[in-house]
Amino acid sequence: MMTKKTIILAISSFMLFSSCKENTSKQTTDQQPSEQNSSSEILKLDSIELKDNTQLFANVKLDYSSNLLLFPELKDKKVLDSIYFKYEGLKNFSKEELQKAMEKEKNDYYAGLKKQNMEDKGMPESLWMTDSNMKIKSNKNGFLHIEYVMETNMGGPYSNEVFQDKVFDLNNDKKVELSDITSLSKNDIDKLLKQKATKITFKNEGSEKPLILSEELSDTNSNLTFNNFYFDEKNLYFHYSPGEIAIHALGNIIIPVTWEELNGKLKPDFQTRMKIK
């Protein structure tokens, strides 16, 4: 069985990845936006895919994969630093430099797993997996939404997933902050999300039961996090990974806030640009 330290390392290493014994690297160019975003604005893309499998321990094999999107037309360093936030200190964002960063990420990840599991003697025979990727979810009105996902399984009955969303304002070369969207305070957003969460239901054995926030989040002194958000013409969405605000079995949770609910609290420039009435 994996230790608690192993779980923490796997989750917190979201973005610590890339090759070892059977290392392969594939590249594709000029990808188009995903099918669901066929109406998106055209953005030239490239990508690097890195796959590896290794005998991590005597009885444990690890399948490793990582996918990285490249943006040849983006030149602003602040934006690129934020897009590739897991690779600190990069002086340029060429394909070659990012490939080197991916290699180091993977080697550091392997070393971390081995260090954390030195005490795990006689581990059962199992196959572990780690998959890290980034996807364009939308690219409209000059706003680029990228979703980062890391999935790990250390021989357990289910995988752990960590989601991270970032939206970039390509017209102004910056990452979008909540303060760019609404003047509503974070305390007020926190109260609004907790109220809305009690109305979210999940099917359970044929019946619907409301989402129950974890105890520490139900406490009025504990605030929700607002790191992962994105938006479209209808709503502002807050995205939480499995186990972050409710039991893991419920999966990732997305809480929508309608623009009507933020009426009078939207920033005028943002409202105009998104054509929100």
Side-chain angles (χ1 to χ4, degrees):
M1 293 196 49
M2 60 180 172
T3 64
K4 183 176 180 182
K5 286 183 179 180
T6 304
I7 299 173
I8 294 173
L9 176 69
I11 296 292
S12 63
S13 294
F14 181 9
M15 326 291 182
L16 254 186
F17 294 103
S18 298
S19 154
C20 204
K21 294 176 184 167
E22 297 180 26
N23 194 4
T24 62
S25 180
K26 299 180 181 178
Q27 301 171 10
T28 60
T29 58
D30 297 329
Q31 295 180 352
Q32 295 301 313
S34 61
E35 235 174 75
Q36 69 190 65
N37 296 305
S38 57
S39 63
S40 297
E41 298 165 7
I42 301 229
L43 181 65
K44 187 176 180 181
L45 298 177
D46 197 352
S47 69
I48 306 171
E49 183 181 24
L50 186 60
K51 291 182 178 292
D52 178 42
N53 60 76
T54 187
Q55 190 76 40
L56 193 65
F57 304 107
N59 291 326
V60 176
K61 290 183 178 180
L62 173 65
D63 282 345
Y64 176 94
S65 64
S66 181
N67 178 275
L68 198 66
L69 292 179
L70 310 179
F71 303 88
E73 296 176 335
L74 298 185
K75 303 300 180 184
D76 186 83
K77 190 175 188 304
K78 289 186 297 183
V79 170
L80 291 169
D81 275 336
S82 189
I83 289 175
Y84 303 110
F85 61 94
K86 58 180 178 175
Y87 305 127
E88 294 184 1
L90 286 182
K91 294 183 178 179
N92 70 71
F93 300 89
S94 66
K95 180 179 290 187
E96 293 73 24
E97 287 301 306
L98 286 166
Q99 284 176 320
K100 290 178 183 177
M102 291 176 76
E103 290 286 341
K104 183 179 184 304
E105 178 183 51
K106 185 223 54 127
N107 291 331
D108 289 346
Y109 182 66
Y110 282 11
L113 286 177
K114 289 177 180 178
K115 182 178 180 180
Q116 291 292 339
N117 286 275
M118 286 179 64
E119 72 275 19
D120 287 346
K121 305 297 183 182
M123 286 188 288
E125 187 171 342
S126 59
L127 176 64
W128 293 7
M129 65 80 66
T130 296
D131 180 75
S132 171
N133 65 75
M134 54 190 293
K135 301 176 183 177
I136 290 183
K137 302 296 288 185
S138 69
N139 178 28
K140 202 168 184 180
N141 298 319
F143 292 114
L144 173 66
H145 170 205
I146 300 176
E147 180 184 79
Y148 304 79
V149 185
M150 177 181 175
E151 180 181 4
T152 60
N153 188 303
M154 306 303 189
Y158 54 79
S159 297
N160 290 301
E161 289 182 297
V162 180
F163 293 84
Q164 186 153 4
D165 296 88
K166 286 178 176 283
V167 182
F168 300 92
D169 180 349
L170 300 185
N171 290 357
N172 295 299
D173 293 328
K174 59 176 288 186
K175 185 174 80 71
V176 177
E177 306 292 345
L178 275 178
S179 57
D180 298 318
I181 298 173
T182 177
S183 59
L184 201 64
S185 71
K186 289 191 174 182
N187 283 339
D188 288 335
I189 294 174
D190 181 82
K191 292 175 184 176
L192 177 60
L193 290 179
K194 286 180 178 177
Q195 291 170 359
K196 293 180 71 67
T198 62
K199 300 176 183 178
I200 296 176
T201 59
F202 292 85
K203 291 184 178 179
N204 186 340
E205 298 179 355
S207 63
E208 289 192 352
K209 294 185 178 181
L211 167 66
I212 300 176
L213 293 175
S214 57
E215 185 176 347
E216 64 271 17
L217 292 173
S218 297
D219 183 343
T220 55
N221 293 322
S222 298
N223 292 330
L224 295 170
T225 59
F226 309 117
N227 298 330
N228 294 350
F229 67 86
Y230 57 94
F231 47 83
D232 59 20
E233 292 84 353
K234 297 180 179 179
N235 302 304
L236 172 63
Y237 303 91
F238 293 88
H239 191 178
Y240 298 95
S241 299
E244 188 174 356
I245 63 170
I247 60 173
H248 192 280
L250 293 180
N252 63 303
I253 293 167
I254 298 172
I255 303 178
V257 177
T258 67
W259 296 128
E260 288 79 7
E261 291 173 294
L262 294 174
N263 187 32
K265 294 294 183 178
L266 288 174
K267 293 296 182 74
D269 289 347
F270 176 82
Q271 186 170 352
T272 299
R273 188 163 158 189
M274 287 298 295
K275 303 177 178 64
I276 300 169
K277 298 181 180 179

mmCIF file of all heavy atoms in Angstrom, residues 1 54-62 117 120-128 154-155:
data_model
loop_
_atom_site.group_PDB
_atom_site.id
_atom_site.type_symbol
_atom_site.label_atom_id
_atom_site.label_comp_id
_atom_site.label_asym_id
_atom_site.label_seq_id
_atom_site.Cartn_x
_atom_site.Cartn_y
_atom_site.Cartn_z
ATOM 1 N N MET A 1 0.840 -1.205 0.000
ATOM 2 C CA MET A 1 0.000 0.000 0.000
ATOM 3 C C MET A 1 0.870 1.247 0.000
ATOM 4 O O MET A 1 1.944 1.275 0.550
ATOM 5 C CB MET A 1 -0.912 0.003 1.230
ATOM 6 C CG MET A 1 -1.933 -1.096 1.201
ATOM 7 S SD MET A 1 -3.273 -0.861 2.363
ATOM 8 C CE MET A 1 -3.787 0.778 2.099
ATOM 9 N N THR A 54 8.741 2.693 -16.619
ATOM 10 C CA THR A 54 9.956 2.305 -15.909
ATOM 11 C C THR A 54 9.631 1.369 -14.754
ATOM 12 O O THR A 54 8.508 1.368 -14.235
ATOM 13 C CB THR A 54 10.681 3.564 -15.373
ATOM 14 O OG1 THR A 54 11.939 3.197 -14.827
ATOM 15 C CG2 THR A 54 9.859 4.253 -14.296
ATOM 16 N N GLN A 55 10.600 0.575 -14.369
ATOM 17 C CA GLN A 55 10.486 -0.279 -13.190
ATOM 18 C C GLN A 55 10.889 0.585 -12.000
ATOM 19 O O GLN A 55 12.068 0.713 -11.661
ATOM 20 C CB GLN A 55 11.399 -1.500 -13.310
ATOM 21 C CG GLN A 55 11.162 -2.562 -12.239
ATOM 22 C CD GLN A 55 9.914 -3.385 -12.502
ATOM 23 O OE1 GLN A 55 9.628 -3.747 -13.643
ATOM 24 N NE2 GLN A 55 9.151 -3.688 -11.461
ATOM 25 N N LEU A 56 9.919 1.200 -11.361
ATOM 26 C CA LEU A 56 10.208 2.174 -10.307
ATOM 27 C C LEU A 56 10.748 1.497 -9.049
ATOM 28 O O LEU A 56 11.695 1.975 -8.418
ATOM 29 C CB LEU A 56 8.939 2.959 -9.979
ATOM 30 C CG LEU A 56 9.107 4.210 -9.135
ATOM 31 C CD1 LEU A 56 9.930 5.263 -9.875
ATOM 32 C CD2 LEU A 56 7.750 4.796 -8.753
ATOM 33 N N PHE A 57 10.116 0.382 -8.653
ATOM 34 C CA PHE A 57 10.557 -0.428 -7.515
ATOM 35 C C PHE A 57 10.560 -1.885 -7.957
ATOM 36 O O PHE A 57 10.129 -2.204 -9.073
ATOM 37 C CB PHE A 57 9.641 -0.238 -6.305
ATOM 38 C CG PHE A 57 9.501 1.190 -5.862
ATOM 39 C CD1 PHE A 57 8.326 1.890 -6.093
ATOM 40 C CD2 PHE A 57 10.543 1.842 -5.221
ATOM 41 C CE1 PHE A 57 8.191 3.207 -5.706
ATOM 42 C CE2 PHE A 57 10.412 3.158 -4.825
ATOM 43 C CZ PHE A 57 9.237 3.847 -5.061
ATOM 44 N N ALA A 58 10.998 -2.768 -7.101
ATOM 45 C CA ALA A 58 11.102 -4.184 -7.468
ATOM 46 C C ALA A 58 9.783 -4.743 -7.973
ATOM 47 O O ALA A 58 9.752 -5.512 -8.940
ATOM 48 C CB ALA A 58 11.589 -4.992 -6.256
ATOM 49 N N ASN A 59 8.665 -4.343 -7.342
ATOM 50 C CA ASN A 59 7.357 -4.872 -7.725
ATOM 51 C C ASN A 59 6.439 -3.820 -8.342
ATOM 52 O O ASN A 59 5.249 -4.072 -8.533
ATOM 53 C CB ASN A 59 6.647 -5.491 -6.505
ATOM 54 C CG ASN A 59 7.322 -6.750 -6.022
ATOM 55 O OD1 ASN A 59 7.858 -7.526 -6.814
ATOM 56 N ND2 ASN A 59 7.333 -6.958 -4.714
ATOM 57 N N VAL A 60 6.980 -2.658 -8.616
ATOM 58 C CA VAL A 60 6.129 -1.562 -9.096
ATOM 59 C C VAL A 60 6.647 -1.015 -10.428
ATOM 60 O O VAL A 60 7.790 -0.577 -10.523
ATOM 61 C CB VAL A 60 6.056 -0.410 -8.069
ATOM 62 C CG1 VAL A 60 5.254 0.758 -8.629
ATOM 63 C CG2 VAL A 60 5.441 -0.901 -6.763
ATOM 64 N N LYS A 61 5.785 -1.058 -11.441
ATOM 65 C CA LYS A 61 6.069 -0.407 -12.719
ATOM 66 C C LYS A 61 5.260 0.880 -12.789
ATOM 67 O O LYS A 61 4.160 0.969 -12.248
ATOM 68 C CB LYS A 61 5.701 -1.329 -13.885
ATOM 69 C CG LYS A 61 6.611 -2.537 -14.034
ATOM 70 C CD LYS A 61 6.227 -3.358 -15.255
ATOM 71 C CE LYS A 61 7.171 -4.540 -15.420
ATOM 72 N NZ LYS A 61 6.810 -5.358 -16.619
ATOM 73 N N LEU A 62 5.792 1.871 -13.477
ATOM 74 C CA LEU A 62 5.110 3.163 -13.602
ATOM 75 C C LEU A 62 4.975 3.525 -15.071
ATOM 76 O O LEU A 62 5.955 3.562 -15.810
ATOM 77 C CB LEU A 62 5.897 4.254 -12.870
ATOM 78 C CG LEU A 62 5.394 5.695 -13.060
ATOM 79 C CD1 LEU A 62 4.017 5.880 -12.451
ATOM 80 C CD2 LEU A 62 6.377 6.702 -12.464
ATOM 81 N N ASN A 117 9.186 6.666 -0.781
ATOM 82 C CA ASN A 117 8.814 5.267 -0.586
ATOM 83 C C ASN A 117 9.973 4.387 -0.145
ATOM 84 O O ASN A 117 9.889 3.164 -0.220
ATOM 85 C CB ASN A 117 8.215 4.709 -1.882
ATOM 86 C CG ASN A 117 6.813 5.238 -2.130
ATOM 87 O OD1 ASN A 117 5.838 4.710 -1.635
ATOM 88 N ND2 ASN A 117 6.726 6.326 -2.885
ATOM 89 N N ASP A 120 8.861 1.851 2.246
ATOM 90 C CA ASP A 120 7.847 0.884 1.819
ATOM 91 C C ASP A 120 8.511 -0.398 1.324
ATOM 92 O O ASP A 120 8.761 -0.586 0.134
ATOM 93 C CB ASP A 120 6.976 1.478 0.705
ATOM 94 C CG ASP A 120 6.017 2.528 1.229
ATOM 95 O OD1 ASP A 120 5.852 2.588 2.455
ATOM 96 O OD2 ASP A 120 5.452 3.259 0.420
ATOM 97 N N LYS A 121 8.818 -1.275 2.236
ATOM 98 C CA LYS A 121 9.443 -2.550 1.891
ATOM 99 C C LYS A 121 8.364 -3.572 1.533
ATOM 100 O O LYS A 121 7.280 -3.593 2.117
ATOM 101 C CB LYS A 121 10.285 -3.078 3.059
ATOM 102 C CG LYS A 121 11.330 -2.090 3.565
ATOM 103 C CD LYS A 121 12.370 -1.769 2.492
ATOM 104 C CE LYS A 121 13.437 -0.831 3.038
ATOM 105 N NZ LYS A 121 14.436 -0.466 2.005
ATOM 106 N N GLY A 122 8.687 -4.401 0.593
ATOM 107 C CA GLY A 122 7.768 -5.483 0.240
ATOM 108 C C GLY A 122 6.446 -5.000 -0.327
ATOM 109 O O GLY A 122 5.387 -5.549 -0.014
ATOM 110 N N MET A 123 6.475 -3.956 -1.145
ATOM 111 C CA MET A 123 5.233 -3.470 -1.756
ATOM 112 C C MET A 123 4.677 -4.527 -2.695
ATOM 113 O O MET A 123 5.427 -5.234 -3.369
ATOM 114 C CB MET A 123 5.494 -2.164 -2.524
ATOM 115 C CG MET A 123 5.706 -0.964 -1.640
ATOM 116 S SD MET A 123 5.793 0.603 -2.575
ATOM 117 C CE MET A 123 7.384 0.428 -3.353
ATOM 118 N N PRO A 124 3.340 -4.663 -2.739
ATOM 119 C CA PRO A 124 2.743 -5.657 -3.633
ATOM 120 C C PRO A 124 2.996 -5.315 -5.096
ATOM 121 O O PRO A 124 3.208 -4.151 -5.445
ATOM 122 C CB PRO A 124 1.244 -5.574 -3.298
ATOM 123 C CG PRO A 124 1.057 -4.203 -2.736
ATOM 124 C CD PRO A 124 2.327 -3.890 -2.009
ATOM 125 N N GLU A 125 2.967 -6.308 -5.939
ATOM 126 C CA GLU A 125 3.165 -6.082 -7.367
ATOM 127 C C GLU A 125 2.012 -5.243 -7.910
ATOM 128 O O GLU A 125 0.846 -5.562 -7.701
ATOM 129 C CB GLU A 125 3.244 -7.416 -8.108
ATOM 130 C CG GLU A 125 3.618 -7.269 -9.566
ATOM 131 C CD GLU A 125 3.894 -8.607 -10.219
ATOM 132 O OE1 GLU A 125 4.123 -9.593 -9.480
ATOM 133 O OE2 GLU A 125 3.882 -8.669 -11.458
ATOM 134 N N SER A 126 2.328 -4.158 -8.571
ATOM 135 C CA SER A 126 1.278 -3.276 -9.076
ATOM 136 C C SER A 126 1.814 -2.400 -10.199
ATOM 137 O O SER A 126 3.021 -2.263 -10.398
ATOM 138 C CB SER A 126 0.710 -2.388 -7.960
ATOM 139 O OG SER A 126 1.730 -1.588 -7.379
ATOM 140 N N LEU A 127 0.866 -1.794 -10.931
ATOM 141 C CA LEU A 127 1.191 -0.871 -12.008
ATOM 142 C C LEU A 127 0.684 0.511 -11.615
ATOM 143 O O LEU A 127 -0.506 0.699 -11.383
ATOM 144 C CB LEU A 127 0.535 -1.313 -13.318
ATOM 145 C CG LEU A 127 0.714 -0.370 -14.517
ATOM 146 C CD1 LEU A 127 2.184 -0.275 -14.910
ATOM 147 C CD2 LEU A 127 -0.127 -0.835 -15.702
ATOM 148 N N TRP A 128 1.576 1.470 -11.503
ATOM 149 C CA TRP A 128 1.213 2.836 -11.203
ATOM 150 C C TRP A 128 1.126 3.634 -12.495
ATOM 151 O O TRP A 128 1.712 3.250 -13.514
ATOM 152 C CB TRP A 128 2.245 3.489 -10.282
ATOM 153 C CG TRP A 128 2.303 2.921 -8.892
ATOM 154 C CD1 TRP A 128 1.642 1.829 -8.415
ATOM 155 C CD2 TRP A 128 3.080 3.419 -7.799
ATOM 156 N NE1 TRP A 128 1.951 1.608 -7.098
ATOM 157 C CE2 TRP A 128 2.843 2.571 -6.688
ATOM 158 C CE3 TRP A 128 3.952 4.481 -7.646
ATOM 159 C CZ2 TRP A 128 3.438 2.768 -5.450
ATOM 160 C CZ3 TRP A 128 4.563 4.683 -6.417
ATOM 161 C CH2 TRP A 128 4.298 3.838 -5.325
ATOM 162 N N MET A 154 -1.645 5.105 -7.746
ATOM 163 C CA MET A 154 -0.537 4.403 -7.112
ATOM 164 C C MET A 154 -0.971 3.013 -6.657
ATOM 165 O O MET A 154 -0.738 2.604 -5.520
ATOM 166 C CB MET A 154 0.006 5.216 -5.934
ATOM 167 C CG MET A 154 0.398 6.640 -6.282
ATOM 168 S SD MET A 154 1.629 6.717 -7.597
ATOM 169 C CE MET A 154 2.059 8.449 -7.554
ATOM 170 N N GLY A 155 -1.677 2.313 -7.543
ATOM 171 C CA GLY A 155 -2.090 0.947 -7.245
ATOM 172 C C GLY A 155 -3.361 0.844 -6.436
ATOM 173 O O GLY A 155 -3.729 -0.237 -5.991
#
